[in-house]
Amino acid sequence: MRGAVHPNGTAPGNASRRGGCKHMLSGVNVVEELKQEGRIEPYKHAAAGWGALKYVALNLIKEKVAGTNYKTLFRQNQPDGFDCPGCAWPDREKASTFEFCENGVKAVAAEATGKRVTPAFFAAHTVAELMEQSDYELEQHGRITDPMVYDPVTDKYKPIGWDDAYQLIARHLNALDDPHQAAFYTSGRASNEAAFLYQLFVRMYGTNNFPDCSNMCHEATSRGLPGTVGVGKGTVLLDDFEHADTILVFGQNPATNHPRMLGELRECAKRGATIVSINPLRERGLERFTSPQHPLEMLVGGSTKIASTFIRPTLGGDFALLKGVAKRLVEMDDAAQAAGAERVLDVEFLDAHTSNFPAFADDLRAESWDLLIEESGVPFAEIDALTQIYAKGRRVISCWGMGLTQHKNSVATIHMLSNVMMMRGNIGREGAGLCPVRGHSNVQGNRTVGIEDKPTQAFLDRLGKAFDFEPPREHGLDVVETIAEMLEGKVKVLIGLGGNFSIATPDTPRTWEALRMCELSVHITTKLNRSHLVRGKEALILPTLGRTEIDVQGGHAQGVTVEDSMSMVHVSYGMNIPASKNLQSEIAIVAGIAHATLGSKKVPWLGYAEDYARIRDAIEKSIDGFDGYNERIKQPGGFRLRIASSERIWLTPTGKAQFIVHPVERDTPIKRAQALHGQRVMTLMTTRSHDQYNTTIYALDDRYRGVYGQRRVVFVNAEDLKMLGLAAGEWVDMETVWEDGVERRADRFLLVEYDIPRGCIGAYYPETNPLVPLHSVGDISNTPTSKSVPVLLHRRAA
Ligand SMILES: Nc1nc2c(c(=O)[nH]1)N[C@H]1C(S)=C(S)[C@@H](COP(=O)(O)OP(=O)(O)OC[C@H]3O[C@@H](n4cnc5c(=O)[nH]c(N)nc54)[C@H](O)[C@@H]3O)O[C@H]1N2
Ligand SMILES: Nc1nc2c(c(=O)[nH]1)N[C@H]1C(S)=C(S)[C@@H](COP(=O)(O)OP(=O)(O)OC[C@H]3O[C@@H](n4cnc5c(=O)[nH]c(N)nc54)[C@H](O)[C@@H]3O)O[C@H]1N2
Ligand SMILES: [Mo]
């Protein structure tokens, strides 16, 4: 990999911070505050290890984490501590060592920071001034201490009492002609208790408008898996990793996003399990890993090789690749049958547990190899090699992340992945299964307890019965639909339980236009972010306790519960002194809004906020699987929700696991763009750097990919650079090729020559969200296609 910085050593436009013009390109304030000169340099070490430790120390210093809060780090993911807000990877319940992870520490340090955003801070800055700051700068100001309301006269936020804030919200909600004119966003950090109370309030208010971060994340998993295996969740437990002999990792970068997963993969590799990465990039952390949990490995500078094979499809090519694997399995099985040899397919499983296999196999036999090879970008020899590894595996786990879920064909891809796993009975037995790796630490739990824009009638029936009301029956709006309806003036109020709606979402300039049309925007939040600035005509910021903080209600410290990626539900107790005396818990805020809006005749909202065990009782009453909730969370590690598919019970219309047939799609937005502009059209994936948590930018490095002090980079293949007549170190603007006549641009990106398949390029999110068209979405999932956007690169005039 090669690259360079701008000739003068800094990014162009850096001067703007000292005055001059601000960068509001395409309506987005660029993150280009360079603390040091941008530097591109390959990373030669194993992932984690001492490099990670150094960064942990730097983070604690930078965040000015208060003395006693250091202790917090050592109670993370321990039985009596709190659940790490970093990611949804499960905890080793019996872990004797402290489960240590660089990015978990960053997430905790960010919350435990000593810096504060006070009313005095808001008095000193207009919203227009704050808009000029980068997202990185906004994050650096620290924790918000008091509820604030926007004052249009001064263009500043000013303090407001909690009750007045609740009354303001109630006034707006009760003045709408129709409850569907409000939308209620959730980001996946909210606890089960907060999320349950929130959805109960919103449904009693009268709508299922629950846009949530999941709509942009694992929605394809949640919508895809029910079709094949009946349940939209993974089937494995952490213990299955101890028994697996083969692990396939699709479209995931665990060294950055789920570092504790690497510890698990390391154990697997050491046992001799075969690990394959299926990813256009050779992510460093899947090559070699030095475990911070193992002092000896740290001391001797050792590391463990993780993946033995790297299969590198083109962006969005996984569907064709998986269909190729399935076709090859059928070919091999046909040959084995003809030769009277051992069958390749698990015939017993197919017979006893599945439906539609014959039609599926016929479709595979008729499929063209040329098409599969071309569309996957993987040569036949490698498809065959992957198939051989898979077929040799007796116990195979498939893991996946955003590389599979943020495409147009993502639901079909999830179907194809489960088809492949079903062909050899790799679901519902020890050491094998489906392992979608979720992002936010409680995003899975949020959906379980009702954050769902398309609830089932059965769920609504039971909720309605438990609380004696008639819930709204029609489907609500997801994220993309919410933005579209705001633009039409139909949705007028947005309430956000966490998150950063304005920049996590696609098509930034249009989304901002939509948000600014709203009558009211409300954000329940910990830190300052762009969504507080890109506001409705009236706006509230409601600061809340974070998960790491002690939450005392009714004289008792309260715990909250979360569900991890493997359906384990456990309790989490905060340990830090709250960032301010004037914070309320998320639950208290939701209860306050509900009480002000609906009154407490039917539901004792404020009583729920006094004792969270009461909310858990209410969840037990309304949702399957939570029997004995309050008792069962007392056991160390909590309890697992029953997942029918992991017991080989198939909750599908046929009562069997279903094979689903899909053709390879030929008419895609990328192809249509190429028909217009030829091979100059690149497919852009937007992804995370090592130093960010979604829209929260901790620092400007991405060290495993060799990028320092700069986020506005774009990774391009050397041959493509030549073909385009561009060179590493030059600066380009990006433009989306889309069919609606709207210009979509993101400007000033440094070209970095990178080992990425031809025709594919990569850059960081959220800076690239202006390029993602609102209506470029996954089939069925309606997820923005953040990993496949057709773009053109234009050299910037010097
Ligand atoms: N530190 C940290 N931790 C996090 C987060 C964070 O931002 N920072 N975010 C959290 C959240 S909400 C989530 S959802 C997860 C996200 O975690 P990941 O699922 O790892 O998400 P991304 O960083 O977007 O990386 C996607 C990976 O998929 C690959 N990829 C891209 N397109 C394709 C494709 O078409 N096919 C294949 N096979 N691979 C592809 C990319 O090269 C990259 O390695 O992490 C969670 N944990
Ligand atoms: N282009 C592109 N877009 C993407 C993605 C991508 O890969 N590419 N990824 C998508 C994915 S996977 C996801 S999950 C979404 C993420 O979308 P969001 O979940 O909306 O975004 P986050 O950046 O995680 O939200 C961070 C904010 O949450 C608030 N916060 C932090 N902790 C707490 C808390 O404890 N309580 C409350 N109430 N607030 C808190 C803080 O104010 C912080 O600024 O983005 C999506 N957008
Ligand atoms: Mo996510």
Side-chain angles (χ1 to χ4, degrees):
M1 188 185 68
R2 215 154 43 76
V5 291
H6 190 257
N8 66 11
T10 56
N14 204 27
S16 68
R17 293 203 54 251
R18 280 165 236 130
C21 71
K22 59 180 179 177
H23 290 108
M24 298 298 294
L25 306 163
S26 316
V28 177
N29 196 351
V30 298
V31 179
E32 57 184 354
E33 200 218 14
L34 299 186
K35 292 288 181 217
Q36 60 186 94
E37 289 186 355
R39 182 161 60 88
I40 310 293
E41 186 176 278
Y43 186 78
K44 299 204 185 81
H45 318 280
W50 291 113
L53 267 191
K54 187 177 106 190
Y55 277 82
V56 165
L58 286 176
N59 248 285
L60 296 179
I61 294 164
K62 195 179 88 187
E63 292 292 355
K64 301 194 174 75
V65 170
T68 53
N69 286 356
Y70 278 107
K71 285 191 218 141
T72 309
L73 300 170
F74 298 91
R75 304 291 283 275
Q76 190 174 315
N77 294 343
Q78 293 295 292
D80 58 345
F82 60 89
D83 183 75
C84 176
C87 75
W89 188 256
D91 317 318
R92 273 264 165 227
E93 175 205 323
K94 299 170 228 103
S96 53
T97 47
F98 149 64
E99 285 215 75
F100 177 80
C101 127
E102 175 194 356
N103 278 345
V105 169
K106 281 191 218 158
V108 172
E111 194 168 292
T113 178
K115 300 179 213 163
R116 297 288 177 269
V117 174
T118 60
F121 172 92
F122 283 111
H125 300 280
T126 62
V127 168
E129 278 164 28
L130 292 172
M131 274 302 286
E132 290 192 36
Q133 299 192 4
S134 69
D135 300 302
Y136 173 67
E137 287 171 295
L138 294 178
E139 161 70 19
Q140 295 308 311
H141 295 306
R143 293 284 299 276
I144 302 174
T145 57
D146 296 87
M148 308 296 295
V149 62
Y150 179 71
D151 177 3
V153 178
T154 57
D155 187 36
K156 287 177 182 172
Y157 274 98
K158 62 180 187 193
I160 182 173
W162 281 103
D163 283 339
D164 291 341
Y166 298 147
Q167 291 303 333
L168 176 72
I169 298 169
R171 252 195 333 272
H172 273 273
L173 290 178
N174 288 328
L176 294 176
D177 306 328
D178 178 338
H180 304 314
Q181 292 174 334
F184 299 82
Y185 181 66
T186 313
S187 167
R189 268 199 200 186
S191 62
N192 279 357
E193 290 79 358
F196 177 82
L197 211 62
Y198 188 57
Q199 64 83 36
L200 180 63
F201 154 60
V202 171
R203 293 200 159 100
M204 286 191 148
Y205 169 68
T207 182
N208 287 311
N209 286 349
F210 288 108
D212 73 340
C213 69
S214 198
N215 298 149
M216 300 178 275
C217 183
H218 262 291
E219 198 67 60
T221 301
S222 305
R223 304 288 171 212
L225 288 181
T228 47
V229 300
V231 178
K233 295 184 184 179
T235 65
V236 297
L237 275 175
L238 218 39
D239 286 347
D240 287 311
F241 280 79
E242 288 174 14
H243 303 284
D245 59 27
T246 306
I247 298 163
L248 310 180
V249 182
F250 291 87
Q252 235 201 302
N253 182 20
T256 288
N257 298 318
H258 304 91
R260 287 178 298 117
M261 175 179 171
L262 274 187
E264 217 59 54
L265 293 180
R266 173 184 182 273
E267 295 302 315
C268 297
K270 287 218 174 280
R271 266 193 304 106
T274 305
I275 300 173
V276 184
S277 163
I278 299 96
N279 193 319
L281 305 185
R282 267 184 91 103
E283 298 285 22
R284 190 64 193 143
L286 285 165
E287 294 188 305
R288 298 206 77 86
F289 170 61
T290 301
S291 173
Q293 314 287 350
H294 292 81
L296 190 63
E297 199 167 71
M298 295 282 281
L299 276 176
V300 300
S303 62
T304 307
K305 186 173 169 193
I306 303 291
S308 54
T309 306
F310 290 81
I311 304 285
R312 304 180 59 194
T314 191
L315 289 167
D318 303 80
F319 173 79
L321 171 65
L322 284 159
K323 194 163 186 187
V325 170
K327 179 176 169 68
R328 193 72 198 105
L329 285 171
V330 167
E331 286 179 357
M332 285 158 58
D333 189 65
D334 288 348
Q337 240 180 315
E342 192 190 335
R343 295 287 297 269
V344 175
L345 304 179
D346 183 340
V347 182
E348 260 175 55
F349 179 81
L350 294 182
D351 288 346
H353 288 285
T354 70
S355 71
N356 203 35
F357 181 72
F360 176 67
D362 286 346
D363 176 68
L364 292 173
R365 290 189 187 98
E367 189 56 277
S368 138
W369 270 121
D370 286 346
L371 182 69
L372 295 174
I373 292 163
E374 188 188 327
E375 292 301 314
S376 64
V378 181
F380 178 80
E382 289 184 28
I383 301 180
D384 183 51
L386 177 60
T387 314
Q388 302 301 336
I389 291 172
Y390 175 68
K392 213 173 125 214
R394 297 273 145 204
R395 294 156 180 236
V396 184
I397 293 178
S398 283
C399 306
W400 69 94
M402 296 301 98
L404 289 201
T405 62
Q406 295 177 329
H407 293 286
K408 181 163 187 301
N409 63 0
S410 286
V411 168
T413 305
I414 302 303
H415 286 164
M416 200 48 75
L417 178 56
S418 18
N419 290 338
V420 166
M421 292 292 278
M422 279 147 37
M423 290 171 91
R424 286 186 43 82
N426 272 315
I427 299 177
R429 61 182 167 81
E430 191 176 62
L434 300 166
C435 181
V437 183
R438 308 264 169 185
H440 269 302
S441 50
N442 195 36
V443 63
Q444 187 161 316
N446 285 183
R447 192 52 71 83
T448 305
V449 302
I451 303 300
E452 163 68 285
D453 49 283
K454 298 176 185 65
T456 62
Q457 295 305 316
F459 171 86
L460 295 174
D461 287 344
R462 187 154 165 196
L463 187 73
K465 214 166 143 218
F467 289 92
D468 185 27
F469 78 113
E470 183 45 47
R473 294 285 166 172
E474 55 283 79
H475 284 173
L477 304 173
D478 62 16
V479 163
V480 165
E481 292 161 345
T482 296
I483 298 168
E485 293 225 345
M486 279 177 184
L487 281 169
E488 289 175 29
K490 289 186 187 156
V491 166
K492 300 172 180 195
V493 173
L494 175 73
I495 299 187
L497 179 55
N500 193 354
F501 191 91
S502 68
I503 55 169
T505 50
D507 228 346
T508 315
R510 259 146 304 282
T511 295
W512 287 15
E513 187 189 333
L515 288 169
R516 287 173 169 145
M517 286 167 68
C518 286
E519 297 295 329
L520 174 70
S521 58
V522 179
H523 292 283
I524 300 165
T525 190
T526 50
K527 293 176 114 178
L528 188 60
N529 70 38
R530 185 75 50 202
S531 302
H532 311 144
L533 309 178
V534 182
R535 48 174 178 80
K537 288 175 194 129
E538 291 191 76
L540 286 166
I541 303 175
L542 304 180
T544 187
L545 293 172
R547 197 184 289 165
T548 58
E549 289 166 327
I550 299 166
D551 181 357
V552 178
Q553 308 283 345
H556 297 283
Q558 303 286 328
V560 293
T561 52
V562 294
E563 174 185 339
D564 65 32
S565 226
M566 296 182 189
S567 308
M568 295 294 304
V569 178
H570 54 265
V571 71
S572 165
Y573 284 96
M575 331 214 35
N576 287 342
I577 306 296
S580 148
K581 288 204 174 90
N582 202 13
L583 301 182
Q584 292 204 357
S585 73
E586 289 180 343
I587 292 163
I589 295 172
V590 169
I593 298 173
H595 175 74
T597 309
L598 302 177
S600 288
K601 276 203 197 103
K602 214 159 210 170
V603 177
W605 300 107
L606 304 179
Y608 277 129
E610 272 174 20
D611 180 359
Y612 301 170
R614 294 178 195 155
I615 308 178
R616 289 187 286 274
D617 285 338
I619 294 176
E620 179 173 343
K621 204 162 64 158
S622 330
I623 298 172
D624 272 345
F626 286 94
D627 309 292
Y629 198 174
N630 276 308
E631 275 309 303
R632 283 202 289 163
I633 55 170
K634 289 183 189 152
Q635 51 200 45
F639 63 95
R640 188 181 195 213
L641 289 171
R642 267 188 80 185
I643 300 298
S645 47
S646 45
E647 299 169 26
R648 295 195 164 177
I649 297 167
W650 315 104
L651 303 177
T652 61
T654 56
K656 301 266 172 115
Q658 309 188 114
F659 281 93
I660 300 184
V661 178
H662 287 284
V664 179
E665 215 182 347
R666 289 157 191 263
D667 180 24
T668 62
I670 304 281
K671 293 235 171 69
R672 291 200 293 275
Q674 283 169 343
L676 280 178
H677 300 274
Q679 295 309 307
R680 291 196 308 121
V681 175
M682 298 280 124
T683 305
L684 168 73
M685 70 149 154
T686 62
T687 190
R688 292 156 173 77
S689 79
H690 193 66
D691 282 346
Q692 74 182 85
Y693 193 92
N694 297 336
T695 67
T696 301
I697 312 301
Y698 299 130
L700 304 179
D701 298 346
D702 188 12
R703 70 173 188 281
Y704 297 152
R705 299 198 187 106
V707 175
Y708 299 89
Q710 177 61 285
R711 285 183 55 83
R712 294 185 85 82
V713 294
V714 51
F715 301 112
V716 189
N717 180 294
E719 295 299 315
D720 284 331
L721 282 176
K722 254 189 244 159
M723 183 262 295
L724 295 167
L726 294 166
E730 288 186 312
W731 292 81
V732 290
D733 297 338
M734 291 196 265
E735 181 197 0
T736 306
V737 184
W738 200 248
E739 292 140 354
D740 57 4
V742 174
E743 187 187 51
R744 292 184 177 82
R745 306 176 60 84
D747 289 352
R748 294 173 194 274
F749 284 80
L750 178 67
L751 285 172
V752 173
E753 184 185 311
Y754 205 81
D755 183 9
I756 184 171
R758 286 213 59 185
C760 302
I761 61 175
Y764 303 129
Y765 124 84
E767 290 84 343
T768 42
N769 258 333
L771 294 168
V772 186
L774 185 60
H775 294 292
S776 175
V777 291
D779 301 331
I780 301 172
S781 63
N782 217 29
T783 296
T785 59
S786 308
K787 299 281 190 276
S788 46
V789 187
V791 298
L792 293 171
L793 302 179
H794 303 293
R795 181 188 286 110
R796 274 186 79 77

